[in-house]
Amino acid sequence: MTTPALTLPEAVAERPLLAPPAPADYLHGGGVRSWLLTRDHKRIAVMFLGATSLALLLGGIFALLLRAELLTPGPTIMSAEAYNRTFTLHGIVMIFMFMIPAIPTVFGNFLLPLMIGARDVAFPRLNLASFYVYLTGSAITLTSLVAGGADMGWTFYVPYSTTSPSAVANVAFGVFVLGLSSVLTGINFIVTVHTMRTKGLAWHRLPLFVWSLYATSIIQVLATPVLGMSLLLVAVDRLWGIGIFDPALGGDPLLFQHLFWFYSHPAVYIMILPAMGVISEVVCAFSRNPPASYRAIAYSSLGIALVGFLTWGHHLFVAGMSLLDGAVFGVLSMFVAVFSAVKVFTWTLTLRRGSVSFETPMLYFFWFTFLFTFGGMTGVAVATSSLDIHWHDTYFVVAHFHFIMVGGTLTAYLAALHYWFPKFFGRRYNERWATIASVTVFVGFVLTFVPQFLLGNAGMPRRYYAYPPEFQWLNVLSSGGASILAAGMLLTLVGLVYALVAGPRSDRNPWGARTYEWLSASPPPTENFEGELAITRGPYDYHLPE
Amino acid sequence: MNELFRRLLFLPPQASGFARDFDALHYAVITASMLGIFAVGLALAWFSFRYRRSPQNAVRPPRPPLTRAQELTPAFGLLVLFVGFWCVGVRQFALMQRVPAGGLLVYVTAKQWMWSFDYANGDRTNETLYVPTGRTVELAMTSRDVIHSFYVPAFRIKKDVIPGRTTSVWFSALRPGTYPIFCAEYCGLDHSGMRGRVVALTPSEFAERFERTPRAPGGADTPLAEREPGGHGELTSLAARGARVAAARGCLRCHTLDGTPHLAPTWARLYGHEVPLANGSTVVADAAYLTESMMDPLAKVHRGFTPIMPTYRGILTPAETAALVELIRSLADAPLAPPAPLVSAGTPPLPLPAALDGGVAP
Amino acid sequence: MAEHFESVERKDQAAHLGMWLFLASEVLLFGALFAVYAGYRVEFGYEFVVASSHNSIAIGTTNTFVLVTSSLFAALAVHAARSGRLRRAAGLLALTIGCGLLFLGLKAVEYGEHFRAGILPGNHYHYAALPTHAANAFFTLYYLMTGLHALHVTGGMVALGAVGYRAFRGAYSAERHLPLELAVLYWHLVDVIWLFLWPLLYLMH
């Protein structure tokens, strides 16, 4: 039945002018434009989730191509030129477009304000800007693909990077811009933690994830500009012949290496500290215990951030360092390892006298702790200078850093995805599916990278397109593992996408955790909390009611 | 035991003097690591089982945190262990840095994408480095283009080879055999094809090969130093070849070989001695300094001399450079000629001393 | 204005902290170039600093004076803003920008002189009076460091221009003029960086 049209005065009398009802949560309300111009940290986090997931996918495809090529000692599916460009872009995309940004921009952005009872980060518009700067930097970097690729390795060593006949400048500029995004995120987080903690939230009540983000942000702000400058110097040399490292002009290629690694060593701590923060949260939630020592974890995060700035020389042991320099950098590297060891010790003891359950995030905790310890101990090994002579630039080092980055950071990222999935999207994923995917990822990872330690011991250098035939069977094992790892990642993706669109609704706090983000609805409303939150207990007080 | 570990860990044969010691440290570090990893895994498994969730433990009183002593003891213990590894590692690293005297010197040139080796006796090989067993071999290495890295897994040695400077590495091969050389620093398209081999020969085999084989006369594209006018085809020492290069390239217009003062520093008693520089410091004249001075003469100017030397980068081949360095090295203890009146610029270059004169006029 | 802050004071505090952190990152950006300078100074030694005598100490010192004066004007602008005299603040910022323009003008003159003499960066260097690698490296660094600095001077002038315009149009008050303070803080950094560049590039010999 149609109702007769009302005149305007009648219409107004009928329906007084009210604001439309507020959307149920941050995900709903407004169209595409409201997302693209949002200032809501949660929406920005979800956009970063999309972007960084694409980066992970792209980097993963490159990895599979590399492992396929390495199935045989000679040419398999691509030329040497293509291989060299593929490993370079694999490294660049994975490090600068996924490893460095992912946990801070996805989980940091979403959870930091929630964890401190704030309504948003300190500078929401800057936050949105950092997203668009990320996209811009990624786009510039990826233009290199259209221009035929770049092949200098993600380490850009001169003089090869300044003379290579490939699209090096595109990548250098792209990474420079991505670095700017990193700096902006770091500034935002530090200021947020200092100025936006809600009532009752003293520093010693901060969730450990917040401590890890804080330490990471310090590194981001201070170290990234140095990388930016190093790459800018490479780019201006390529474009305008302004070579400051050119040996033909008396320049020193080793000076570039010092400058590059001054950032890139702390960068690895940018990649691992947020992951460690995630793991701290997961172990407490799934053993329903406070950490065995809160201050050990909090302070070791700061210790890693600070001492991590002093160890870059261990990448140059074989480049012609003096004995004294080598000794100093070596011992400082040992110091930094102790901070990480303290964390492993603390996480393990957190289980003691707890109440342990084995949902998917906790499985990832187990994989992380085991694989990170493995990777960390091999780190101590390569920091032993005489041994590094044999291992430097071989597959041993490749295995070491993949243990940390994939076995460590990626594993923690997957833990975070599952742990906070209900918080982000208000839905539950399928536990059985995720468990199978998780075990597949673990098995695939081990099979991919353990053979690489042995290849390194046997003397196979890295970045090798062709290799002696006796190395083949280990390479085949590794490539087989890579396909299992890929399958596990694919299963994870399918499971989570399914849960996103058709998963059962979740409660506000399905895990019964005590950190403060769980006090908001799942998913949270745009303003995060109803009214002002006052904190009267610690973040891991499992003996107290929520 | 050593052999068991070596095979278990896929390490190559221990073919150099220090390989076995390095491997011993390797075994210690890896064993400690495996024990640590295993301990962590075991603890995780045990705690997970013992404290698995049950209605009894779902709610508990708060567990006291670790005491300061409990926190610091494992940290300190691990620090002691790691620093222990570091100590042994640094000692071994120092051993690698200090080249024993009296070694056999071979000049290595790396270029995209091959290795070439110049021996003191004048011979030159590509890809294959011949060395005698049981003797210290020192490699003075430089690159023609980008950074490479000389890696012999069986010897456990590796050193970056950098353009514009000379780096060195030494080893002593234990027994005869063939050991692969890899380039271990990404250098472009054929990086993985830039391989070679070290062929270790017994001292008698080595002497036989390097003292008897005549050199064939060079072809049209043989570098200047190797060309023998008249086609004698006899073996000349690298130093003698250096003298020929010095004459042909004009070095002797300014440098002397017997201590006579002239426009440029004399090469007599230069190698291994301290050189005073224009900026007030001093430097020891080693292969690196001499090579640099040929390529970049204005980098470290000898005090008291006008900086007029042109660069020879792109003019001297690495073989010629090596020959010149060897010539200067051979004059390290040469007798100095009595001081002669200072000659002014514009005088013709001085003739070669008779001992080194191979019959070639400048 | 962002409503998510507890109070206006908190917001100001946050903005100041954020700006200081940004300045720290800028210091590290220039720090990388200072590190390269230090590396080559050690390697080349005396010849490296001999090159600095070929820079015009007159222009360099005048520029120092100009920038310090500009910072004085900028500081006075903040003082004026805090006392509620926003038009005066805008005028003082205009003077600051004027000094900035003078600085850039003098740099342009200096660059022009160098270009004519053959002092160009990197591979383009062909200065007959000082053909050494040390001098080449010195001047390449000179261009890189002063070039980066000039870019920052330009950026600073744009920022000062924007806040000066808004001050002139009455967008600020004695209590609320945060962007002006932050822009001036940035300008002070640009000045301080020059105070390090000046001795390294002009006064070393």
Side-chain angles (χ1 to χ4, degrees), chain B residues 34 60 93 178 290 311:
Chain B
M34 287 298 139
R60 290 147 285 121
F93 195 76
T178 303
L290 295 172
T311 175

Side-chain angles (χ1 to χ4, degrees), chain A residues 66-67 70 80 83-89 91-92 95 151-157 160 260-261 392-395 398 401 460-467, chain B residues 147 183-193 195:
Chain A
L66 293 174
R67 289 293 350 149
L70 290 173
Y83 181 85
N84 295 338
R85 290 161 196 225
T86 306
F87 78 66
T88 299
L89 260 300
I92 296 278
I95 291 174
D151 77 332
M152 65 292 170
W154 83 276
T155 46
F156 286 93
Y157 276 14
Y160 187 76
F260 177 84
W261 286 111
H392 174 74
D393 267 342
T394 65
Y395 264 85
V398 173
F401 64 68
M460 179 170 170
R462 61 187 286 201
R463 299 173 167 170
Y464 257 39
Y465 168 70
Y467 54 81
Chain B
I147 302 182
C183 174
E185 184 60 58
Y186 178 71
C187 54
L189 188 63
D190 203 20
H191 165 60
S192 56
R195 303 200 211 147

Side-chain angles (χ1 to χ4, degrees), chain A residues 119 121-124 187 190-191 194-196 221-222 225 229 233 240-242 244-245 248-252 255 259, chain C residues 4-6 10 14 17-18 21-22 25 28-29 32-33 36 40 43-44 121-124 133 136-137 140-141 144 148:
Chain A
R119 195 205 175 294
V121 291
F123 308 120
I187 292 176
I190 293 176
V191 176
H194 274 279
T195 60
M196 300 192 65
V221 170
L222 297 180
M229 185 48 57
L233 291 175
W240 299 307
I242 305 182
I244 192 70
F245 301 115
L249 301 176
D252 184 354
L255 197 51
L259 217 57
Chain C
H4 60 288
F5 278 95
E6 269 180 29
R10 269 293 170 88
L17 179 58
L21 288 169
F22 180 65
S25 78
L28 266 294
L29 188 70
L33 286 178
V36 177
Y40 284 128
E43 178 167 334
F44 287 121
N123 282 306
H124 313 285
H133 282 323
N136 188 351
T140 304
L141 275 167
L144 286 169
L148 186 68

Side-chain angles (χ1 to χ4, degrees), chain C residues 71-171:
Chain C
S71 266
L72 177 65
F73 287 138
L76 287 173
V78 170
H79 183 75
R82 285 180 184 166
S83 352
R85 287 141 88 204
L86 275 307
R87 284 273 167 115
R88 195 176 146 89
L92 285 162
L93 287 180
L95 283 173
T96 311
I97 294 173
C99 288
L101 284 169
L102 181 56
F103 176 88
L104 290 178
L106 287 171
K107 280 239 78 58
V109 165
E110 199 181 10
Y111 275 25
E113 274 176 19
H114 281 333
F115 289 166
R116 273 187 295 279
I119 299 177
L120 288 151
N123 282 306
H124 313 285
Y125 183 82
H126 57 274
Y127 185 42
L130 261 190
T132 61
H133 282 323
N136 188 351
F138 177 87
F139 284 112
T140 304
L141 275 167
Y142 162 83
Y143 280 111
L144 286 169
M145 292 163 101
T146 57
L148 186 68
H149 180 257
L151 280 175
H152 282 76
V153 167
T154 310
M157 289 192 322
V158 168
L160 289 175
V163 300
Y165 175 73
R166 299 194 64 208
F168 186 74
R169 298 287 297 226

Side-chain angles (χ1 to χ4, degrees), chain B residues 279 296 298-299 301, chain C residues 44 46-47 131 133:
Chain B
N279 66 8
D296 193 358
L298 304 174
V301 178
Chain C
F44 287 121
Y46 181 66
E47 281 157 40
H133 282 323

Side-chain angles (χ1 to χ4, degrees), chain B residues 30-222:
Chain B
I30 292 298
T31 305
S33 303
M34 287 298 139
L35 288 174
I37 297 161
F38 186 65
V40 167
L42 205 62
L44 288 174
W46 168 246
F47 286 150
S48 310
F49 171 72
R50 169 78 178 80
Y51 300 105
R52 61 195 182 283
R53 188 161 303 173
S54 68
Q56 288 77 37
N57 64 21
V59 179
R60 290 147 285 121
R63 181 209 55 207
L66 296 173
T67 64
R68 183 67 67 91
Q70 285 171 322
E71 285 169 6
L72 289 178
T73 309
F76 192 67
L78 283 172
L79 183 64
V80 167
L81 179 68
F82 296 167
V83 170
F85 293 154
W86 168 82
C87 278
V88 180
V90 168
R91 192 134 16 101
Q92 293 181 343
F93 195 76
L95 180 70
M96 271 216 90
Q97 303 273 69
R98 252 172 253 128
V99 187
L104 177 75
L105 182 61
V106 180
Y107 299 90
V108 179
T109 306
K111 75 178 263 303
Q112 285 166 322
W113 291 280
M114 59 177 282
W115 299 99
S116 68
F117 307 101
D118 285 281
Y119 302 81
N121 70 348
D123 208 351
R124 180 194 222 189
T125 56
N126 292 323
E127 277 191 50
T128 307
L129 169 64
Y130 292 96
V131 298
T133 57
R135 192 157 159 220
T136 300
V137 174
E138 180 189 357
L139 303 178
M141 311 188 285
T142 189
S143 164
R144 287 264 291 272
D145 37 45
V146 297
I147 302 182
H148 301 274
S149 191
F150 186 83
Y151 176 37
V152 184
F155 293 167
R156 312 291 189 274
I157 59 165
K158 182 187 287 124
K159 198 60 174 277
D160 282 2
V161 181
I162 302 171
R165 63 168 76 177
T166 305
T167 54
S168 5
V169 73
W170 74 274
F171 60 88
S172 162
L174 289 180
R175 37 182 168 278
T178 303
Y179 310 105
I181 300 170
F182 294 113
C183 174
E185 184 60 58
Y186 178 71
C187 54
L189 188 63
D190 203 20
H191 165 60
S192 56
M194 186 170 163
R195 303 200 211 147
R197 72 186 84 83
V198 179
V199 171
L201 303 168
T202 63
S204 52
E205 282 174 335
F206 183 81
E208 205 185 287
R209 193 201 178 283
F210 280 89
E211 260 133 51
R212 199 205 47 174
T213 322
R215 299 289 318 286
D221 50 0
T222 315

Side-chain angles (χ1 to χ4, degrees), chain B residues 298-325:
Chain B
L298 304 174
K300 293 191 175 73
V301 178
H302 194 302
R303 198 185 311 154
F305 290 90
T306 321
I308 51 169
M309 177 175 166
T311 175
Y312 282 85
R313 190 185 301 273
I315 299 170
L316 285 173
T317 67
E320 292 173 327
T321 312
L324 286 169
V325 172

